[in-house]
Amino acid sequence: MAKSLLAVLVLTFGLLATARAADDSPTRTLGDAKDVSACLNCHDDPAVTSILHTAHAVKGDARTGFAAEGCQSCHGASDAHMAKPREGELRPPPSIVFSGPRISPVAERNHVCLGCHEGGIRMHWQGSQHETSDVACTSCHTSHAVEDAVRAKATQATVCFSCHAEQRAANLKPSHHPVIEGLMACSDCHNPHGSPTPHMLKGVTVNDTCYACHDEKRGPFLWEHAPVQEDCTICHTPHGSIQPTLLKERIPYLCQNCHDESAHNSQPFSGASLPGGSSPSRVMVLRACLNCHTEVHGSNHPSGVRLER
């Protein structure tokens, strides 16, 4: 009787061990982790499958790693994710998760992207304002999308404004660059991946950035206006203004920040106004200082010492 009971116990434990071994066996998987079609058995949402129509999924391009590793080329080792979990257990995620509640740390996600996209305009990413603010590549980019919104002029500003609300408000002012119209992008002036200049400008200086479009203001001029040569933002605000031509303040008050008004009495109804003192001063009418000093950015005329011609 004792021998029979022992035999039953041995058989029972043997069957349990066999079941547990089968449960742990690597053959109990949903497919090969390197096979893209195995991933698509579960992840068949268009938001995922659209990557097959992007440069990231070109199997013939050795730089993508898609032919050899499939989705693992970005998401890392996924064998454990492909294995069937035991009853009551959650399926472990891939090594790198780019969205959702089990999202990977920013540094890990960015490390994957920079593995391929480290050179060129991204060479200043390390230490940049976005990098030190824990901005992830996927905070702006959508790698699975056929058309990445942040790379198109018509939609880029919407992505940038999701964080930069102050600049969004400025672009809604009457005078602004044609960013919200989709004719110009934030990246025409800024390099979001980092720059050795303040505010991540594309040019070496503010003026060099502005001259990329406004080259007629570059000079050199025979008669130069000092603030123009120093920094365009002394007079202009780049994102938007309620004054014409993106001026920071209404003329003549803008000019009087540097120029003493005693040479030109510019009070609206001063004694220096039109005869009788009943009309506004001539330097306050229409374009104010620019009525006479028309070449405010610089003049090449022999008689243009006061930037009047």
Side-chain angles (χ1 to χ4, degrees):
M1 182 69 179
K3 291 183 178 180
S4 299
L5 179 59
L6 179 62
V8 170
L9 290 174
V10 169
L11 179 61
T12 301
F13 282 112
L15 291 173
L16 288 174
T18 303
R20 175 59 60 88
D23 233 12
D24 294 337
S25 172
T27 59
R28 287 176 55 85
T29 66
L30 297 176
D32 186 354
K34 297 181 180 180
D35 185 3
V36 177
S37 60
C39 300
L40 297 180
N41 285 332
C42 296
H43 304 284
D44 58 351
D45 188 272
V48 176
T49 59
S50 58
I51 195 173
L52 299 175
H53 303 283
T54 71
H56 286 111
V58 178
K59 292 185 177 181
D61 189 344
R63 295 173 299 175
T64 67
F66 204 75
E69 294 292 326
C71 301
Q72 288 188 132
S73 58
C74 291
H75 290 278
S78 301
D79 289 322
H81 178 66
M82 298 292 287
K84 291 183 179 179
R86 296 192 186 95
E87 186 176 351
E89 293 184 356
L90 292 175
R91 184 185 302 279
S95 298
I96 304 296
V97 180
F98 291 92
S99 63
R102 295 194 282 181
I103 191 170
S104 300
V106 170
E108 293 182 12
R109 285 179 279 151
N110 286 355
H111 179 73
V112 173
C113 300
L114 293 174
C116 296
H117 304 284
E118 191 170 19
I121 62 174
R122 292 162 294 275
M123 64 184 299
H124 293 292
W125 173 257
Q126 302 298 337
S128 69
Q129 289 168 281
H130 280 154
E131 193 266 342
T132 54
S133 299
D134 274 343
V135 175
C137 302
T138 51
S139 298
C140 303
H141 294 280
T142 307
S143 58
H144 281 248
V146 177
E147 296 183 3
D148 191 359
V150 79
R151 298 187 63 198
K153 283 189 177 183
T155 53
Q156 184 186 101
T158 303
V159 178
C160 298
F161 290 158
S162 63
C163 291
H164 301 283
E166 182 179 347
Q167 284 70 31
R168 178 184 181 276
N171 272 272
L172 294 174
K173 293 179 179 179
S175 179
H176 60 264
H177 283 113
V179 174
I180 57 176
E181 290 81 5
L183 301 178
M184 184 176 174
C186 304
S187 58
D188 287 339
C189 298
H190 300 278
N191 182 356
H193 301 103
S195 165
T197 63
H199 309 297
M200 296 192 290
L201 293 175
K202 293 181 72 173
V204 177
T205 64
V206 171
N207 284 17
D208 284 338
T209 303
C210 298
Y211 292 155
C213 294
H214 305 283
D215 55 350
E216 75 281 5
K217 308 295 191 300
R218 180 187 294 273
F221 296 106
L222 180 62
W223 310 105
E224 294 182 337
H225 195 184
V228 175
Q229 301 305 311
E230 182 181 348
D231 189 332
C232 301
T233 58
I234 291 176
C235 297
H236 298 279
T237 179
H239 294 107
S241 172
I242 60 172
Q243 303 299 332
T245 61
L246 292 167
L247 290 176
K248 297 175 76 171
E249 193 176 2
R250 179 186 172 188
I251 297 174
Y253 307 115
L254 175 65
C255 304
Q256 289 168 359
N257 287 324
C258 297
H259 299 281
D260 184 4
E261 67 169 310
S262 61
H264 290 301
N265 193 329
S266 56
Q267 299 306 309
F269 294 96
S270 66
S273 63
L274 296 179
S278 58
S279 300
S281 169
R282 285 170 292 177
V283 294
M284 282 288 287
V285 193
L286 300 176
R287 300 177 68 226
C289 305
L290 299 182
N291 286 331
C292 299
H293 305 283
T294 55
E295 305 303 314
V296 68
H297 292 99
S299 173
N300 280 321
H301 196 281
S303 301
V305 62
R306 295 184 175 85
L307 305 177
E308 294 177 337
R309 61 178 71 187

